[in-house]
Coordinates of all heavy atoms in Angstrom, one line a residue:
V8 N -9.7 -31.3 14.6 CA -9.6 -29.9 15.2 C -8.7 -29.1 14.4 O -8.9 -27.9 14.1 CB -9.2 -30.0 16.7 CG1 -8.9 -28.7 17.2 CG2 -10.3 -30.7 17.5
A9 N -7.5 -29.6 14.0 CA -6.5 -28.9 13.3 C -7.0 -28.5 11.9 O -6.8 -27.3 11.5 CB -5.2 -29.7 13.1
G10 N -7.7 -29.3 11.2 CA -8.3 -29.0 10.0 C -9.4 -27.9 10.1 O -9.4 -27.0 9.2
F11 N -10.2 -28.0 11.1 CA -11.2 -26.9 11.3 C -10.5 -25.6 11.5 O -11.0 -24.5 11.0 CB -12.0 -27.3 12.5 CG -13.0 -26.3 12.9 CD1 -14.2 -26.1 12.2 CD2 -12.8 -25.4 14.0 CE1 -15.1 -25.1 12.5 CE2 -13.7 -24.4 14.4 CZ -14.9 -24.3 13.6
L12 N -9.5 -25.5 12.4 CA -8.8 -24.3 12.6 C -8.2 -23.7 11.4 O -8.1 -22.5 11.1 CB -7.7 -24.5 13.7 CG -8.3 -24.7 15.1 CD1 -7.1 -25.0 16.1 CD2 -9.1 -23.5 15.6
A13 N -7.6 -24.6 10.5 CA -7.0 -24.1 9.3 C -8.0 -23.5 8.4 O -7.7 -22.5 7.7 CB -6.3 -25.3 8.6
L14 N -9.2 -24.1 8.3 CA -10.3 -23.5 7.5 C -10.7 -22.2 8.0 O -11.0 -21.2 7.2 CB -11.5 -24.5 7.4 CG -11.2 -25.7 6.6 CD1 -12.5 -26.7 6.7 CD2 -11.0 -25.4 5.1
R15 N -10.8 -22.0 9.3 CA -11.2 -20.8 9.9 C -10.2 -19.7 9.6 O -10.5 -18.5 9.3 CB -11.4 -20.9 11.4 CG -12.5 -21.7 11.8 CD -13.9 -21.0 11.6 NE -14.0 -19.8 12.4 CZ -14.9 -18.9 12.2 NH1 -15.7 -19.0 11.2 NH2 -14.9 -17.8 13.0
L16 N -8.9 -20.0 9.7 CA -7.8 -19.1 9.4 C -7.8 -18.6 8.0 O -7.7 -17.5 7.7 CB -6.4 -19.7 9.8 CG -5.2 -18.8 9.7 CD1 -5.3 -17.7 10.7 CD2 -3.9 -19.6 9.9
Y17 N -8.1 -19.6 7.1 CA -8.2 -19.2 5.6 C -9.3 -18.3 5.4 O -9.2 -17.3 4.6 CB -8.3 -20.5 4.9 CG -8.4 -20.3 3.3 CD1 -7.2 -20.4 2.6 CD2 -9.6 -20.1 2.7 CE1 -7.3 -20.2 1.2 CE2 -9.7 -19.9 1.3 CZ -8.5 -19.9 0.6 OH -8.5 -19.7 -0.7
S18 N -10.5 -18.5 6.0 CA -11.6 -17.7 5.8 C -11.4 -16.3 6.3 O -12.0 -15.3 5.8 CB -12.9 -18.3 6.5 OG -12.7 -18.3 7.9
V19 N -10.6 -16.1 7.4 CA -10.4 -14.8 7.9 C -9.4 -14.0 7.1 O -9.5 -12.8 6.7 CB -9.9 -14.9 9.4 CG1 -9.5 -13.5 9.9 CG2 -11.0 -15.5 10.2
L20 N -8.2 -14.7 6.8 CA -7.1 -14.0 6.1 C -7.3 -14.0 4.6 O -6.8 -13.1 3.9 CB -5.8 -14.6 6.5 CG -5.4 -14.6 8.0 CD1 -4.0 -15.2 8.2 CD2 -5.4 -13.2 8.5
G21 N -7.9 -15.0 4.1 CA -8.0 -15.1 2.6 C -6.7 -15.5 2.0 O -5.7 -15.8 2.7
K22 N -6.6 -15.5 0.7 CA -5.4 -15.8 0.0 C -5.0 -14.7 -0.9 O -5.7 -14.1 -1.6 CB -5.7 -17.1 -0.9 CG -4.4 -17.5 -1.7 CD -4.6 -18.9 -2.3 CE -5.7 -18.8 -3.4 NZ -5.9 -20.0 -4.1
R23 N -3.6 -14.2 -0.8 CA -3.1 -13.1 -1.5 C -3.0 -13.5 -3.0 O -2.4 -14.5 -3.3 CB -1.8 -12.6 -1.0 CG -1.9 -12.1 0.4 CD -0.6 -11.5 0.9 NE -0.2 -10.3 0.1 CZ -0.7 -9.1 0.4 NH1 -1.5 -8.9 1.4 NH2 -0.3 -8.1 -0.4
T24 N -3.6 -12.7 -3.9 CA -3.5 -13.0 -5.3 C -2.7 -12.0 -6.1 O -2.5 -12.1 -7.3 CB -4.9 -13.0 -5.9 OG1 -5.5 -11.6 -5.8 CG2 -5.8 -13.9 -5.2
G25 N -2.3 -10.9 -5.4 CA -1.5 -9.9 -6.2 C -2.4 -8.8 -6.7 O -2.0 -7.8 -7.3
H26 N -3.7 -8.9 -6.4 CA -4.7 -7.9 -6.9 C -5.4 -7.2 -5.7 O -6.5 -6.7 -5.9 CB -5.8 -8.5 -7.8 CG -5.2 -9.1 -9.1 ND1 -4.8 -8.3 -10.1 CD2 -4.9 -10.4 -9.4 CE1 -4.3 -9.1 -11.1 NE2 -4.3 -10.3 -10.6
E27 N -4.8 -7.2 -4.6 CA -5.4 -6.6 -3.4 C -5.5 -5.1 -3.7 O -4.7 -4.5 -4.4 CB -4.6 -6.8 -2.1 CG -4.6 -8.3 -1.7 CD -3.8 -9.2 -2.5 OE1 -2.8 -8.7 -3.1 OE2 -4.0 -10.4 -2.5
Q28 N -6.4 -4.4 -3.0 CA -6.6 -3.0 -3.1 C -5.3 -2.2 -2.7 O -4.8 -2.5 -1.6 CB -7.8 -2.5 -2.3 CG -8.1 -1.0 -2.5 CD -9.3 -0.6 -1.8 OE1 -9.9 -1.4 -1.1 NE2 -9.7 0.6 -1.9
Q29 N -4.8 -1.3 -3.5 CA -3.7 -0.6 -3.2 C -4.1 0.6 -2.3 O -5.2 1.1 -2.4 CB -3.0 -0.1 -4.4 CG -2.5 -1.2 -5.3 CD -1.5 -2.1 -4.6 OE1 -0.6 -1.6 -4.0 NE2 -1.6 -3.4 -4.7
P30 N -3.1 1.2 -1.6 CA -3.4 2.4 -0.8 C -3.9 3.5 -1.7 O -3.5 3.7 -2.8 CB -2.1 2.8 -0.1 CG -1.3 1.5 -0.1 CD -1.8 0.8 -1.4
A31 N -4.9 4.3 -1.2 CA -5.4 5.4 -2.0 C -4.3 6.4 -2.4 O -3.5 6.7 -1.6 CB -6.5 6.1 -1.2
P32 N -4.3 6.9 -3.6 CA -3.3 7.8 -4.0 C -3.4 9.1 -3.3 O -4.5 9.5 -2.9 CB -3.6 8.0 -5.5 CG -5.0 7.7 -5.7 CD -5.3 6.6 -4.7
I33 N -2.3 9.8 -3.1 CA -2.2 11.1 -2.4 C -3.0 12.1 -3.3 O -2.8 12.1 -4.5 CB -0.8 11.5 -2.2 CG1 -0.1 10.5 -1.3 CG2 -0.7 12.9 -1.6 CD1 1.4 10.8 -1.2
Q34 N -3.8 12.8 -2.7 CA -4.6 13.9 -3.4 C -3.6 14.9 -3.9 O -2.5 15.2 -3.3 CB -5.6 14.5 -2.5 CG -6.7 13.5 -2.0 CD -7.4 12.9 -3.2 OE1 -7.8 13.6 -4.1 NE2 -7.7 11.6 -3.2
T35 N -4.0 15.6 -5.0 CA -3.1 16.6 -5.6 C -2.6 17.6 -4.7 O -1.5 18.0 -4.6 CB -3.9 17.3 -6.8 OG1 -4.3 16.3 -7.7 CG2 -2.9 18.3 -7.5
D36 N -3.5 18.1 -3.8 CA -3.1 19.2 -2.9 C -2.3 18.8 -1.8 O -1.8 19.6 -1.0 CB -4.4 19.9 -2.4 CG -5.3 19.0 -1.6 OD1 -5.0 17.8 -1.6 OD2 -6.3 19.4 -1.1
E37 N -2.1 17.4 -1.6 CA -1.2 16.9 -0.6 C 0.2 16.6 -1.1 O 1.1 16.4 -0.3 CB -1.8 15.6 0.0 CG -3.2 15.8 0.7 CD -3.8 14.5 1.2 OE1 -3.2 13.5 0.8 OE2 -4.8 14.6 1.9
R38 N 0.4 16.6 -2.4 CA 1.7 16.3 -2.9 C 2.7 17.5 -2.8 O 2.3 18.6 -2.8 CB 1.6 15.9 -4.4 CG 0.8 14.6 -4.6 CD 0.5 14.3 -6.0 NE -0.2 13.0 -6.2 CZ -0.7 12.6 -7.3 NH1 -0.5 13.2 -8.4 NH2 -1.4 11.4 -7.3
A39 N 3.9 17.1 -2.7 CA 4.9 18.2 -2.6 C 4.9 19.0 -3.9 O 4.9 18.4 -5.0 CB 6.3 17.6 -2.4
K40 N 5.0 20.3 -3.8 CA 4.9 21.1 -5.0 C 6.3 21.3 -5.5 O 7.3 21.5 -4.8 CB 4.3 22.5 -4.6 CG 2.8 22.4 -4.2 CD 2.2 23.7 -3.9 CE 0.8 23.6 -3.5 NZ 0.2 24.9 -3.1
V41 N 6.5 21.3 -6.8 CA 7.8 21.5 -7.5 C 8.0 23.0 -7.5 O 7.2 23.8 -7.8 CB 7.8 21.0 -8.9 CG1 9.1 21.3 -9.6 CG2 7.5 19.5 -8.9
T42 N 9.2 23.4 -7.0 CA 9.6 24.8 -7.0 C 10.8 25.0 -7.9 O 11.6 24.2 -8.2 CB 10.0 25.2 -5.6 OG1 11.0 24.2 -5.1 CG2 8.9 25.1 -4.6
V43 N 10.8 26.3 -8.4 CA 11.8 26.6 -9.4 C 13.2 26.6 -8.7 O 13.3 27.2 -7.6 CB 11.5 28.0 -10.0 CG1 12.6 28.4 -10.9 CG2 10.2 28.0 -10.7
L44 N 14.2 26.0 -9.4 CA 15.5 26.1 -8.9 C 15.7 25.4 -7.5 O 16.6 25.8 -6.8 CB 16.1 27.5 -8.9 CG 16.0 28.2 -10.2 CD1 16.5 29.7 -10.0 CD2 16.9 27.6 -11.2
Q45 N 14.9 24.4 -7.2 CA 15.0 23.8 -5.9 C 16.2 22.8 -6.0 O 16.3 21.9 -6.8 CB 13.8 23.0 -5.6 CG 13.9 22.3 -4.3 CD 12.6 21.6 -3.9 OE1 11.6 21.6 -4.7 NE2 12.5 21.0 -2.7
P46 N 17.2 23.0 -5.1 CA 18.4 22.1 -5.1 C 18.0 20.7 -4.6 O 17.1 20.5 -3.8 CB 19.3 22.8 -4.1 CG 18.5 23.5 -3.2 CD 17.3 24.0 -4.0
R47 N 18.7 19.7 -5.1 CA 18.5 18.3 -4.7 C 19.5 17.9 -3.7 O 20.7 18.2 -3.8 CB 18.5 17.4 -5.9 CG 18.3 15.9 -5.6 CD 18.4 15.1 -6.9 NE 17.4 15.5 -7.8 CZ 17.4 15.2 -9.1 NH1 18.4 14.5 -9.6 NH2 16.4 15.6 -9.9
T48 N 19.1 17.2 -2.6 CA 20.0 16.8 -1.6 C 21.1 15.9 -2.2 O 20.8 15.0 -3.0 CB 19.3 16.0 -0.5 OG1 18.3 16.9 0.1 CG2 20.3 15.6 0.6
S49 N 22.3 16.1 -1.9 CA 23.4 15.3 -2.4 C 24.4 15.0 -1.4 O 24.8 15.9 -0.6 CB 24.1 16.1 -3.6 OG 25.3 15.4 -4.0
G50 N 24.8 13.8 -1.3 CA 25.8 13.4 -0.3 C 27.2 13.4 -0.8 O 28.1 12.9 -0.1
D51 N 27.4 13.9 -2.0 CA 28.8 13.9 -2.6 C 29.7 14.8 -1.8 O 29.2 15.8 -1.2 CB 28.7 14.3 -4.0 CG 28.0 13.3 -4.9 OD1 27.8 12.1 -4.4 OD2 27.5 13.7 -6.0

């Protein structure tokens, strides 16, 4: 029974290989636009 459950779990989750699909990139019109002379936040 334990072996059967392990096989079922493997078939559902699969094995991570490092080549999983990455999140879709943000479309150009969704990215923050660079503005002239925009100050950068500083905690100094």
Side-chain angles (χ1 to χ4, degrees):
V8 171
F11 175 77
L12 290 176
L14 289 174
R15 291 288 297 167
L16 186 63
Y17 182 92
S18 66
V19 172
L20 298 181
K22 182 170 64 177
R23 296 186 66 83
T24 65
H26 297 284
E27 290 77 23
Q28 183 176 3
Q29 299 299 315
I33 300 175
Q34 297 299 317
T35 302
D36 57 356
E37 296 175 354
R38 295 176 180 172
K40 296 179 180 179
V41 178
T42 51
V43 177
L44 302 177
Q45 181 175 4
R47 180 180 298 165
T48 301
S49 172
D51 294 339

